[in-house]
Amino acid sequence: MTFDTAIFDELLNKLSANALDVDAQQSWPKEQFQWLAEAGVLKWFIPEEFGGKELTQVELTEGYEKLAAACLSTCFAFTQRNGACQRIAGSKNEELKADLLPRLATGELFATVGISHLTTSRQHIAKPAVEAEEQSDSFVLNGMIPWVTGATAADIVVTGGTCSDGKQVLLAMPTASAGVSIQPKAELMALTSTETTSIRLENVSVPKRSLLAGPIEKVMNKGKGGGAGSLTTSILALGLSARSLGLLEDEASRRDDLIGKADSFKHEVDVLRSEIHTASLGKTFGDEGLSPTAIRQQANSLALRITQTVLAVTKGAGFMVGHPAELAVREAMFFLVWSCPQPVVEGVLNELSCRDTF
């Protein structure tokens, strides 16, 4: 590992010990992000030249899994921050990178993404969710960004809009800009503490010095950053499954009838972990592993089944609010809607309707 494992393990222990409180309080995990900063985890996804710490793909995969297992709310918010950092770091705007990335690495600034309207959300609507008008020195944005995690905590939102000619732009928009109106946070089945909400834009002028990409067609296909159906979602589902496996194994330590079931799920967790690690190295289909879509279907299926199994074996206690089992069941539902492209949805529907999934 290129980061201090002892410090990281201490971070994981603190996140895990406070995960139920984060869910119950339903407020932004500010303290948890301070812990991430102190452990140096906020340096992930930021180039070393800007004060970051570049990890190998295997290290990032393992790190995400462990963070998700410890506290999914904090980890999910962290992924959205990392998506913003990746888009900024991957741009050709050197002046903007030099300004933002060092402060993102220390936690002085918090950035997030509002890009689903450019990929999966509201694509069936004829009028773009966010319209962009190019002017001499800025882009003027109007519309609604539908899903923004940590909007109330964000200094910067990486977002974009569609111009009249169909081309799109991607911008690092300051939330302090005139015309930015952050809506009340959404009350969600789980992860309400991530303070995910929509942002209304009314004649928001974003200077061209904040431009990350565009105007081009399908701007999200340019540069780095996990898109819809990316491996990141599967890794977090794996983390939830690994945490649930721990709960099931704890029950099995007191009940012999559960040992076989726990062993079966452990095998599934191990296989999924292996598939994800193989795919993270760029090996799919013709090489040694599955496609990201097939992996995501596996991850969704496992997260749904193992969390409900834990609920079943913990019985009434697990059904009570504040029990790790009921939290895990609610969190598993999240993977049915987060960054879930149509092929993955079809896989879920096939399994739930008892048809061949793959």
Side-chain angles (χ1 to χ4, degrees), residues 79-243:
T79 67
Q80 303 308 284
R81 175 264 185 193
N82 293 343
C85 291
Q86 283 183 289
R87 290 290 172 179
I88 295 169
S91 76
K92 295 181 180 179
N93 191 333
E94 298 299 329
E95 182 179 349
L96 189 67
K97 289 194 287 188
D99 177 33
L100 299 181
L101 292 175
R103 293 188 286 163
L104 288 166
T106 62
E108 179 186 344
L109 289 181
F110 179 77
T112 189
V113 288
I115 53 177
S116 63
H117 59 290
L118 301 173
T119 54
T120 56
S121 294
R122 307 192 182 184
Q123 294 298 293
H124 60 287
I125 300 175
K127 182 180 179 180
V130 177
E131 295 178 297
E133 179 185 350
E134 184 173 5
Q135 298 187 350
S136 60
D137 60 351
S138 67
F139 287 92
V140 176
L141 304 181
N142 280 281
M144 183 77 78
I145 309 173
W147 297 104
V148 184
T149 294
T152 56
D155 302 290
I156 299 290
V157 175
V158 171
T159 189
T162 304
C163 301
S164 58
D165 61 0
K167 293 181 179 179
Q168 298 175 328
V169 293
L170 194 67
L171 303 154
M173 182 189 73
T175 55
S177 302
V180 173
S181 179
I182 299 174
Q183 306 301 295
K185 68 181 179 183
E187 297 293 331
L188 306 174
M189 181 184 294
L191 286 81
T192 295
S193 62
T194 64
E195 300 203 352
T196 299
T197 185
S198 56
I199 297 180
R200 183 176 298 280
L201 307 175
E202 297 182 14
N203 296 318
V204 177
S205 180
V206 183
K208 286 187 175 179
R209 64 175 179 273
S210 296
L211 181 66
L212 298 175
I216 57 174
E217 293 184 0
K218 298 182 179 180
V219 72
M220 293 307 297
N221 291 343
K222 180 179 177 61
K224 294 182 179 180
S230 71
L231 277 178
T232 299
T233 52
S234 299
I235 296 169
L236 268 61
L238 170 63
L240 173 61
S241 296
R243 185 211 310 161

Side-chain angles (χ1 to χ4, degrees), residues 296 300 304 331-338 340 345 348 352:
R296 178 66 189 279
N300 274 19
L304 292 170
E331 289 179 335
M333 299 297 104
F334 181 54
F335 294 98
L336 297 180
V337 297
W338 173 36
C340 205
V345 174
V348 171
L352 293 178

